[in-house]
Amino acid sequence: MDIDLLRSLATPNDKKILLCVVDGLGGLPDPETRRTELETASLPNLDHLAAESACGMTMPVDYGVTPGSGPGHLALFGYDPLKYEVGRGVLEALGIDFDLQPVDVAARGNLCTLDAEGRISDRRAGRIDTATMVGLCERLREIELPGVELIVEPVVDYRWVLILRGEGLDDHLSQTDPEREGVKPLPVRALTPAAQATADIVNRFVEQAQAKLADQPVANGVLLRGFAKHPDFPPLPETTQMRAGAFAVYPMYRGLAKLVGMTVAPGGGSQQSQLDAMRKRWDEFDFCFYHFKRADAAGEDGNFQAKVEALEEFDSLVPQLRDLGAAVMMVAGDHSTPSQLAAHSWHPVPFLLSSTYGASDSIEAFNEPACSGGSLGLFPAKEALSLAMANAGRLLKFGA
Amino acid sequence: MDIDLLRSLATPNDKKILLCVVDGLGGLPDPETRRTELETASLPNLDHLAAESACGMTMPVDYGVTPGSGPGHLALFGYDPLKYEVGRGVLEALGIDFDLQPVDVAARGNLCTLDAEGRISDRRAGRIDTATMVGLCERLREIELPGVELIVEPVVDYRWVLILRGEGLDDHLSQTDPEREGVKPLPVRALTPAAQATADIVNRFVEQAQAKLADQPVANGVLLRGFAKHPDFPPLPETTQMRAGAFAVYPMYRGLAKLVGMTVAPGGGSQQSQLDAMRKRWDEFDFCFYHFKRADAAGEDGNFQAKVEALEEFDSLVPQLRDLGAAVMMVAGDHSTPSQLAAHSWHPVPFLLSSTYGASDSIEAFNEPACSGGSLGLFPAKEALSLAMANAGRLLKFGA
C-alpha cells in the first residue's frame, strides 16, 4: 500500500515487529551441484522457522532491476524505491557516517588521471591506495570559496565525498564525470535556473582542485557525480505509529535507517554485539531493524563457500532473534547477491514472515525454490512492512 | 484492467456470467489440526468444481489491507476499491435498504452517554437495546430545520442513520465523534467553504437532538460520522455491456450492487429462496451476483465449526448454481474472515473460475493451500470480472 494509505490505517498497540535483513540473501545454483548457497548451507534454525511461517519471494524494485543498497533497504522499510530516491552523494555520505544537514549538497568524488590534454586516461587513478587518497584530500580541504563551506571527506581507495554547506544551495546539477575515458571532464551545468549559483561554486572548486593536484603523477584530477541533498521522506515512526530502532554494524545501513527516521544504535562491533544491543533496548521500540552484512560481502567476492558460511552464521543467530519474542518476525534480503555473479542481482529474494496469523505454508526449508512455492508468492518488497503490520494488528480495517 | 479499458473492450454476446460471493470465505488453520475451515469442511461439490476450474487467490484491496464489505464487493464488481470509495454514512443507509437520493447526505449515528460536563462516558450508550433506540429515534424525528428535510432511520442497538435531504447540501464535513471517551463531542466543521451551510445545519440538529435526549439516563447524546453522498460510479451495465442482476438476502449487499447500477431483486428470505429467484429471472440478465452470507457471520463470531457448516451449506447449493448453466461461473470471497481472528482479515481469498476456456489446473480441492497453487496465482480481486468476461468472449482483442 502507499504511504498515505498506510498512515491512514496505522494504529498503535503493544505488538512488536522484528525485521532481519540478510544483505544479499538470495543466490543462484552452483553450476555443478545445481544448489544455491541457501540450499547448500546447513540452516536448521531457518528451516524450522520457515516451516512455521508464511513464505514467499520479494521483488526488491521491479522486474530485471538490480538494486543498490539504498533502494533495497528503502523497499523493506515500506518505501516505494522508484518514488523515494536517494542521491549517490547522500549515500556516500551516509556510508561514512557523515552527519548530513538539510542545507548540504553532497557529491561522490573520484580521484582520476588526466593526460597532457586534460582528457581522462583513468577514471579511478589506477585505484590508488587509501593513504595516498587521504593525503590528497588534505590538499583539497585547503580550497576556500566565498559564501559556502566546503567539506572534503575521504572514503576508500580513489573515492571521497564533497559536501557543500550553506543556505540556498541547489542539487539540480549535472555531473562532471563523463563515465568514460579519452574525453575531458565535463563542466557542471545547472539543471534548473535556481541551481546556477551552486554550479558556479562547484566549477570553481573543480578548477582549484585540479590546480592543487597538478603535480601528481597519477591522481591529478577529480570527477564529481550524484549531487544530492538529504531527501525529505515521511518518517516511518509517523506513518506507522511505531517507535523504530536500527541495529547495524556498518554505517551505510544505519544511515538508511536514519533517513526514514529510525532511532539508530551506535554501530561497529560484531553481529553478536549488535544483537545484544537490540536485546538490551528491546522495550524502547515497536519495530526493530537488524542488519546482517556478511552474506553480501561473500557474494560480492564471488566466494560461494564463504557465502554458505555467512548464511550458516546468520542461522546460528536465529534462536536468539526468536527469543526476543517479537509478535511478527521477518527474515528478508535487500537484494540477491549470487556468488556466481559476484555482484548484486535482479533476482527475487527469499522471505519469511513468522506470526500467529501468518498462513499455512507447507514449506520445509528456507531457500529460493522452497520460498517460491510459499503462500505469499512473488511480491513487491515494499509490501513486507504492510504485511507485518497487518499480522501485528497494527492496521485498521479499510472501508466499512 | 481499469474501467476505461474495460469499457473500450466490452462487447455483448449471449454468454452468461455467474458470480457467487461467499462472504468471508477465506480462513486460517486451526492451531491444533493445522487445517483451515475450508480444509476441514466436506465440500464434494466445490472440490469437484475446482478440479474443472482455473483456481487462484484474490487480493481484495492491497497487501496487508483488511477490507470492509464495501471495498471487498466493489473489487469483485471490477472497481478499484482504492479509487471508488463509499462513505460510511452511505454504507449504513444501504445496509437498511434506504433509498438514497443523489442530493442526500447520509451519516452514521451513535446514541452515546454524556456525563454532567457533557463529556462522552460511553460512545455506545451501554450498547442499549434496539427497541429503546427506535423509541429515541422517534424523538429525533421531531426535529425540524428550515431548508432541509431531516430523516432519522434506526439501524440496530445504539446505531442509526441521519439523512439530510435538500438541494445544495455538501458532504465535506468533519465528524462529531472524537472516537474516544472522556472528551466532548466535536462540533461539525466544513472541510471546504461550500460545505459551511451544511455544517451549520448539522450543528443545529445535534444541539436539538441533545435537548430531546436530555432526560435519558443512558442514551443522552448523539455522535455522527462518515458524512457522505451517494457516489457517482460508472454503472456496470454501461461499462461491461451486461444486464446485471443481484440476489442477496441482506440489504448491505443489495445496496452495494445498486451502487454500481445492477438490477436488485427483493431481499430477505433464505439463500435457497434467493437462488430460486435468480433461477426464475435467469433470462433477464447477462451477469448475476449471488451473495452467501453465513460464512462471514460464523467467522466474525469466532466459531470455527459454524463456519465449517456454513461452507458445507454453500457447497450443497453448488449443484443448483451449476445447473443454471452460466458460461462462466466464479466462486469468490469479498475478504477472508478467519474464525481465529473473529474479524475480517487481510489474507488472500480462494477463488475459482469455471469456464470452457479456463485453464488446466491440477487442483483437487477448494481451499487456501490448494488455490495458492492454482494457475491464476495471487491476483487483485478487481481483475476477476475482466477474467470472467474474457472467458465469456465478452472482451475484444486489444490492438491489431
Side-chain angles (χ1 to χ4, degrees), chain A residues 210-251:
Chain A
Q210 236 76 282
K212 293 269 183 200
L213 302 176
D215 64 344
Q216 287 296 303
V218 179
N220 62 347
V222 298
L223 297 172
L224 293 167
R225 62 189 160 120
F227 291 93
K229 282 194 161 186
H230 193 293
D232 188 22
F233 295 164
L236 185 142
E238 178 255 323
T239 55
T240 65
Q241 301 208 37
M242 297 195 291
R243 300 166 298 163
F247 297 86
V249 173
Y250 291 89

Side-chain angles (χ1 to χ4, degrees), chain A residues 1-2 5 9 51-52 356-361 375-376 378-380 383 386-387 390-391 395-400, chain B residues 28-29 34 36 39 61-71 81-82 85 88 91 340-341 344 346-347 369 378:
Chain A
M1 71 182 78
D2 75 17
L5 181 59
L9 298 179
E52 298 175 3
T356 310
Y357 308 114
S360 56
D361 291 16
S375 63
L376 298 175
L378 173 62
F379 72 100
E383 305 296 352
S386 307
L387 282 176
N391 274 276
L395 294 176
L396 299 171
K397 187 160 69 176
F398 172 72
Chain B
L28 284 173
R34 302 194 65 170
T36 68
E39 287 180 283
V61 178
D62 203 350
Y63 289 91
V65 175
T66 296
S69 297
L82 292 171
E85 285 196 64
R88 174 144 210 143
L91 279 173
Q340 211 189 328
L341 280 165
H344 295 194
W346 63 92
H347 299 90
L378 173 61

Side-chain angles (χ1 to χ4, degrees), chain B residues 159-188:
Chain B
R159 289 159 49 191
W160 51 284
V161 184
L162 172 67
I163 297 110
L164 312 176
R165 179 167 291 173
E167 291 301 326
L169 295 172
D170 195 305
D171 62 356
H172 294 87
L173 301 174
S174 70
Q175 60 188 42
T176 80
D177 187 348
E179 299 201 32
R180 61 199 179 95
E181 289 163 359
V183 296
K184 293 184 179 182
L186 305 165
V188 167

